[in-house]
Amino acid sequence: MKKTIVFTGGGSAGHVTPNIAIINEMDDSKWDIRYIGSKQGIEKELITKRNIPYYEISSGKLRRYLDAENVIDVFRVLKGCMEARRTLKKIKPELVFSKGGFVSVPVIIAARSLKIPILIHESDLTPGLANKISQRFATKIFTSFEETKQFFPQEKTTVIGSPIRKEILTGDAQKGREFLGFHDGRPVLTMMGGSLGAKKINEAVRESIHELTEKYQLVHLCGKGNRDESMANLPGYKQYEYVNEELADVLAATDYVITRGGSNAIFEFLALNIPMIIVPLTKKQSRGDQILNAKSFEEKGFAIMLEEEYLTPQTLTTQLENLRQQRETMQRTMAASKQGNGLQSILEEIEKV
Ligand SMILES: CC(=O)N[C@H]1[C@@H](OP(=O)(O)OP(=O)(O)OC[C@H]2O[C@@H](n3ccc(=O)[nH]c3=O)[C@H](O)[C@@H]2O)O[C@H](CO)[C@@H](O)[C@@H]1O
């Protein structure tokens, strides 16, 4: 008889894509896979298009600051807990796996009340609020970063790396260049601003576009609504709002990356040994987790960090020059690192439960 597993997690693509990486590798002759997510979050679109049964619950936003909406959200979370409990009682899963994000909290509380084992994974160096709340209810906790272990109970926490989509590691450089219309005479520099793009990176790249295209062929993953049509026909410059299936081939053709400090993205580049410049989201725009992700990667010799406050066309080109010089050392360090792909470990842990 098949066993049932419920996945949860959402709010941003970063809390869903690792779940998809795991789901894709699960044996569906052995596992019945379900997903609990929010009514409006990105997870709904990403999961339902894969024909995975999707159950909606109410969810509030977890804020760290005082806001009148917090009161309404407490009721939304309570409603979410009741809905999640009803759903779990109906599905009767053997296991709940959570990637965090605010929608996961009611699911975890409900799972605990029904004594269902819970596995959670934290992608960022410091835990998000959802996983901070969820940790006490979890049976086991997995982290991408070594440093994250200190924030969780030692006895149930294991560092395993980031669950990376299998297909991302099997790209074909030649196909990537064909897709991009690029030749192999000049290095390829890919700019990725997280799943939503990054305005500041976009501006700095476009301001130095002529200098950059003299040395590189550029792939700009600029985010929805961020294409600059006045540059559409510039030789050696390709802009995409978002790339799906072709991303693996594009990355196989990529020599250098400029990226935000989102955990999934930087672990993918690490697994592919692509030297990177990380421009983390600032503390004003976020809880500062990307700065810590970036610092950790820089300290380990996987990346150069360039803080957004110092990002100008000049600093960008200077740091790119540094990156070119460090390329070989950085690639050797990345290749020798044990930190990386946690997909297999998670699949094994799921089987154990
Ligand atoms: C703004 C924000 O809150 N960002 C957070 C969010 O990042 P976000 O949702 O941006 O996710 P990540 O940066 O971690 O990963 C982006 C993912 O999108 C994929 N991709 C991107 C562009 C594209 O064209 N095609 C494509 O497939 C990448 O390969 C990667 O798998 O969750 C991460 C994991 O908790 C956090 O570290 C980030 O701080």
Side-chain angles (χ1 to χ4, degrees):
M1 212 177 74
K2 277 192 191 183
K3 287 190 244 169
T4 304
I5 180 167
V6 166
F7 283 85
T8 184
S12 93
H15 290 116
V16 193
T17 42
N19 277 340
I20 295 173
I22 302 166
I23 291 170
N24 283 348
E25 298 311 314
M26 288 188 68
D27 181 351
D28 46 8
S29 66
K30 283 191 355 218
W31 287 97
D32 186 355
I33 297 162
R34 316 286 178 103
Y35 206 101
I36 303 183
S38 68
K39 293 184 171 133
Q40 327 75 358
I42 175 111
E43 63 275 18
K44 184 171 174 183
E45 186 199 325
L46 293 174
I47 296 297
T48 49
K49 80 173 180 203
R50 288 175 166 79
N51 293 327
I52 298 160
Y54 186 87
Y55 303 84
E56 293 178 357
I57 58 163
S58 306
S59 79
K61 188 163 168 39
L62 300 167
R63 298 180 189 83
R64 284 155 196 267
Y65 50 88
L66 287 174
D67 189 303
E69 278 278 307
N70 285 357
V71 181
I72 302 169
D73 279 344
V74 168
F75 287 103
R76 289 200 187 114
V77 173
L78 288 175
K79 189 164 175 246
C81 286
M82 287 188 296
E83 290 164 341
R85 196 177 146 89
R86 220 174 298 134
T87 307
L88 290 173
K89 273 182 114 170
K90 193 167 75 189
I91 306 176
K92 297 193 179 59
E94 267 76 22
L95 177 64
V96 167
F97 184 88
S98 166
K99 251 327 282 125
F102 49 82
V103 71
S104 66
V105 175
V107 183
I108 285 174
I109 295 173
R112 174 62 181 243
S113 76
L114 295 168
K115 301 196 168 59
I116 301 166
I118 299 160
L119 305 184
I120 67 177
H121 181 273
E122 175 56 61
S123 297
D124 292 300
L125 195 140
T126 53
L129 189 50
N131 275 351
K132 262 194 188 156
I133 298 171
S134 305
Q135 49 143 326
R136 79 200 65 169
F137 306 122
T139 318
K140 283 189 183 177
I141 302 169
F142 306 107
T143 70
S144 289
F145 286 90
E146 181 77 47
E147 297 92 321
T148 317
K149 215 174 164 185
Q150 62 184 296
F151 302 106
F152 290 125
Q154 300 293 304
E155 66 286 358
K156 59 178 177 183
T157 306
T158 319
V159 185
I160 53 137
S162 175
I164 296 176
R165 297 176 274 169
K166 213 171 195 176
E167 66 272 18
I168 223 91
L169 306 174
T170 54
D172 178 325
Q174 184 57 32
K175 276 196 197 149
R177 277 192 292 271
E178 273 163 28
F179 168 71
L180 297 162
F182 286 174
H183 51 81
D184 55 9
R186 205 174 275 175
V188 174
L189 169 62
T190 296
M191 277 87 54
M192 186 194 270
S195 57
L196 305 172
K199 203 162 163 278
K200 265 309 270 264
I201 299 184
N202 294 351
E203 284 168 5
V205 165
R206 286 177 179 143
E207 277 174 47
S208 30
I209 196 79
H210 295 295
E211 211 176 334
L212 290 174
T213 46
E214 273 171 23
K215 291 189 179 158
Y216 304 95
Q217 303 178 88
L218 304 183
V219 188
H220 194 171
L221 307 175
C222 54
K224 209 167 177 194
N226 294 330
R227 274 176 55 91
D228 182 338
E229 295 309 330
S230 71
M231 294 184 170
N233 297 319
L234 217 65
Y237 177 59
K238 287 280 154 65
Q239 313 172 60
Y240 302 92
E241 290 189 335
Y242 194 83
V243 173
N244 284 302
E245 299 81 51
E246 299 86 1
L247 187 67
D249 295 336
V250 169
L251 291 181
T254 296
D255 298 282
Y256 304 98
V257 153
I258 300 173
T259 176
R260 274 292 189 210
S263 165
N264 299 299
I266 62 176
F267 272 92
E268 286 166 6
F269 304 138
L270 169 61
L272 290 164
N273 291 345
I274 309 177
M276 59 189 123
I277 292 180
I278 306 179
V279 184
L281 266 178
T282 62
K283 268 207 153 147
K284 277 193 201 130
Q285 301 158 292
S286 68
R287 63 186 175 89
D289 50 320
Q290 291 198 359
I291 301 175
L292 299 172
N293 292 352
K295 274 192 182 144
S296 165
F297 264 43
E298 185 173 65
E299 276 163 21
K300 295 191 174 98
F302 306 152
I304 291 177
M305 173 166 88
L306 175 54
E307 287 187 81
E308 194 173 296
E309 291 85 339
Y310 303 105
L311 176 65
T312 63
Q314 291 73 28
T315 54
L316 189 67
T317 41
T318 311
Q319 291 297 18
L320 269 171
E321 210 35 57
N322 287 341
L323 193 69
R324 275 180 95 126
Q325 279 163 20
Q326 293 178 34
R327 179 191 167 98
E328 280 178 17
T329 328
M330 206 176 260
Q331 282 185 318
R332 262 201 308 275
T333 316
M334 289 198 264
S337 152
K338 290 196 184 66
Q339 191 165 8
N341 192 352
L343 182 61
Q344 199 49 42
S345 312
I346 289 199
L347 289 168
E348 283 163 18
E349 291 288 346
I350 288 175
E351 288 301 330
K352 273 189 213 162
V353 178

